[in-house]
C-alpha cells in the first residue's frame, strides 16, 4: 500500500559533512590502493603486506561512494544509511589509533609526507565523529517536513534478500568485533597475515559495513537503500581488483581464503539485487 507521509529533508550542514568525508576517504583510498608499497612515505602508518593496503584502500574507496550518495539524498531517511555506519567506523578507528599510536608516523625520522599524513589522520578522526554526532542531532531536531510518496508498512525488500543481508551483517559484525577485541587469535581466521593494528583497522571496517547491511535490510523505501547497494557493489569490484594484484598473499585453498571470497560474492549479490530493485 502507498501513502503520502512526512519526511525530513537533509539539512545543508549534514550534506556538506558527507561531501567532505567522501573527499577525505577518497584520498585515503587512493593512496592505499595506488601506492600500497609506499605507505611508509604517504600514509599515516606503514601497512604490510600490500594486500592489506589494497584491501583497506578498496574499503575507503567504496565508502566515498556511500557518502557521496548519502550527501546527494533528498531526505534524512536515505542519508542516515550512510551517516550511522560512518560514525561507527570513525569512532572505532579513533579508538584503534589511540591504542596503537606508537605505530604511527610521528617521529622525526619518518618521511615528512608521512608525518603530515599522520597529523591529518589524527585531526580527521578526532573531529569527524564529533561533528557527525553534533550535526546528526541538528538533523534529527530539524522540523521542516516535506510530503513524499512512499511505500507504507514494514520493510520492502524481498524476504530472501533481507535474509541474505542479515546473514552478511551477522558475519561482518561478529568477526569485526572479534578482530577489535582479540586481534591476534581472530586474525588466524583471516586469509593473510595481520598485525594487531591491521587486524583492528580491518575490524573497524567490518563493523561499519555490517551495520550498513543491518540497516539496509530494514528499509521501508526502496530508494533509501541505494547508498548501501552502490557501496556494496563498488566494494566487491575494488576487492576483486585487489585480489588480481595481490591475491597470492592469500592462503589458497585454505578455509579462510574460501570464506573471504564467499562473503565477497554474497555482498556482491546482495548489493546488485538491492541496486536493481532501487532503480526499478
Amino acid at each position: 500500500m502507498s501513502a503520502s507521509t512526512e519526511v525530513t529533508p537533509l539539512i545543508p550542514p549534514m550534506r556538506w559533512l558527507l561531501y567532505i568525508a567522501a573527499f577525505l576517504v577518497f584520498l585515503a583510498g587512493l593512496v592505499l590502493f595506488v601506492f600500497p608499497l609506499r605507505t611508509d612515505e604517504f600514509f599515516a602508518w606503514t601497512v604490510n603486506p600490500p594486500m592489506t593496503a589494497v584491501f583497506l584502500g578498496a574499503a575507503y574507496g567504496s565508502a566515498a561512494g556511500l557518502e557521496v550518495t548519502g550527501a546527494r539524498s533528498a531526505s534524512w531517511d536515505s542519508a542516515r544509511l550512510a551517516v550511522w555506519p560512518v560514525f561507527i567506523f570513525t569512532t572505532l578507528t579513533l579508538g584503534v589509533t589511540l591504542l596503537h599510536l606508537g605505530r604511527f608516523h610521528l617521529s622525526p625520522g619518518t618521511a615528512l609526507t608521512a608525518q603530515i599524513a599522520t597529523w591529518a589522520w589524527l585531526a580527521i578522526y578526532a573531529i569527524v565523529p564529533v561533528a557527525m554526532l553534533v550535526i546528526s542531532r541538528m538533523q534529527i531536531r530539524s522540523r521542516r517536513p516535506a510530503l513524499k510518496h512512499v511505500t507504507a508498512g514494514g520493510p520492502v525488500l524481498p524476504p530472501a534478500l533481507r535474509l541474505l543481508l542479515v546473514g552478511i551483517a551477522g558475519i561482518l559484525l561478529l568477526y569485526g568485533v572479534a578482530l577489535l577485541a582479540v586481534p591476534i587469535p581472530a586474525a588466524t581466521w583471516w586469509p593473510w597475515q595481520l598485525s594487531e593494528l591491521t587486524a583492528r583497522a580491518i575490524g573497524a571496517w567490518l563493523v561499519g559495513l555490517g551495520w550498513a547491511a543491518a540497516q539496509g535490510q530494514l528499509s521501508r523505501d526502496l530508494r533509501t537503500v541505494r547508498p548501501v547497494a552502490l557501496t556494496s557493489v563498488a566494494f566487491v569490484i575494488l576487492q576483486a581488483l585487489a585480489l588480481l594484484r595481490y591475491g597470492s598473499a592469500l592462503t589458497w585453498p585454505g578455509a579462510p581464503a574460501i570464506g573471504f571470497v564467499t562473503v565477497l560474492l554474497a555482498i556482491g549479490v546482495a548489493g546488485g539485487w538491492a541496486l536493481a530493485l532501487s532503480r526499478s
Side-chain angles (χ1 to χ4, degrees), residues 118-135:
T118 302
W119 284 109
W121 174 284
L122 293 172
I124 290 165
Y125 282 101
I127 293 170
V128 168
V130 176
M132 195 153 278
L133 198 61
V134 170
I135 297 174

Side-chain angles (χ1 to χ4, degrees), residues 36-93:
L37 300 177
R38 302 183 67 180
T39 55
D40 60 331
E41 299 176 65
F42 299 142
F43 198 59
W45 42 282
T46 303
V47 184
N48 282 312
M51 182 61 204
T52 302
V54 291
F55 174 89
L56 292 171
Y60 276 105
S62 59
L66 174 68
E67 290 162 17
V68 168
T69 309
R72 290 171 57 86
S73 300
S75 71
W76 169 240
D77 287 340
S78 180
R80 66 183 175 183
L81 291 184
V83 170
W84 298 129
V86 171
F87 172 73
I88 289 167
F89 164 73
T90 53
T91 302
L92 290 174
T93 301

Side-chain angles (χ1 to χ4, degrees), residues 32 65 77 91 111 113-114 119 143 157 170 177 244 250 264:
L32 289 167
D77 287 340
T91 302
T113 50
W119 284 109
R143 292 290 182 262
L157 294 179
V177 169
L244 288 175
L250 276 68
L264 279 183

Side-chain angles (χ1 to χ4, degrees), residues 5-10 73-82 139 148 150 219 221 223-225 227:
T5 187
E6 289 185 346
V7 297
T8 302
L10 197 64
S73 300
S75 71
W76 169 240
D77 287 340
S78 180
R80 66 183 175 183
L81 291 184
Q139 174 68 70
K148 182 180 179 183
V150 300
S219 177
D221 185 341
R223 287 167 293 188
T224 64
V225 81

Side-chain angles (χ1 to χ4, degrees), residues 29-216:
L30 186 68
V31 170
L32 289 167
F33 202 80
V34 178
F35 304 107
L37 300 177
R38 302 183 67 180
T39 55
D40 60 331
E41 299 176 65
F42 299 142
F43 198 59
W45 42 282
T46 303
V47 184
N48 282 312
M51 182 61 204
T52 302
V54 291
F55 174 89
L56 292 171
Y60 276 105
S62 59
L66 174 68
E67 290 162 17
V68 168
T69 309
R72 290 171 57 86
S73 300
S75 71
W76 169 240
D77 287 340
S78 180
R80 66 183 175 183
L81 291 184
V83 170
W84 298 129
V86 171
F87 172 73
I88 289 167
F89 164 73
T90 53
T91 302
L92 290 174
T93 301
L94 175 61
V96 171
T97 299
L98 296 176
L99 192 61
H100 295 278
L101 197 57
R103 289 282 309 277
F104 284 73
H105 294 147
L106 293 170
S107 63
T110 55
L112 179 61
T113 50
Q115 292 181 53
I116 294 171
T118 302
W119 284 109
W121 174 284
L122 293 172
I124 290 165
Y125 282 101
I127 293 170
V128 168
V130 176
M132 195 153 278
L133 198 61
V134 170
I135 297 174
S136 293
R137 181 175 173 81
M138 292 167 55
Q139 174 68 70
I140 292 168
R141 294 184 63 177
S142 67
R143 292 290 182 262
R144 296 182 295 110
L147 287 178
K148 182 180 179 183
H149 196 66
V150 300
T151 303
V156 294
L157 294 179
L161 177 54
R162 290 190 64 207
L163 183 61
L164 179 59
L165 286 170
V166 168
I168 292 169
I171 291 170
L172 296 180
L173 288 169
L174 288 173
Y175 191 49
V177 169
L179 285 171
L180 287 165
V182 285
I184 297 304
T188 60
W189 291 94
W190 193 255
W192 65 86
Q193 187 175 5
L194 300 176
S195 66
E196 283 194 26
L197 173 55
T198 54
R200 286 190 165 119
I202 289 174
W205 270 112
L206 297 186
V207 170
L209 293 169
W211 190 279
Q215 280 190 139

